Amino acid sequence: MKKATRTIWVGILSALALLTACFSSKGLTKAERARLIKERDSIQQVLERREGASVYGTPEIIQAYGAENKRLRHQLDSINQILGQDEPK
């Protein structure tokens, strides 16, 4: 239950970050940037824990686990892209 709650929380934060980035035309504020960095670090920690984990169960469970990993990696890539675009030149 704790793992599911954490995963849902990360998903909600990622969606919020993406919406914020889409609607802000002037770039990120310091608070938004700090929140995105914190979220990125959180997703990286989750992926690191999941990377070496053994998954047992039905093929559907294993497939769902892989899909969740893929979703988290996509969110991580999106956040990195947003942060990369916002860097001062």
Side-chain angles (χ1 to χ4, degrees), residues 69-80:
N69 281 347
K70 188 175 182 179
R71 185 186 67 79
L72 288 171
R73 283 190 193 101
H74 179 70
Q75 286 179 344
L76 185 61
D77 290 343
S78 297
I79 291 171
N80 284 334

Side-chain angles (χ1 to χ4, degrees), residues 42-57:
S42 173
I43 292 172
Q44 285 175 338
Q45 288 176 353
V46 169
L47 283 172
E48 286 173 6
R49 279 194 307 269
R50 293 173 69 99
E51 201 170 280
S54 299
V55 181
Y56 301 101

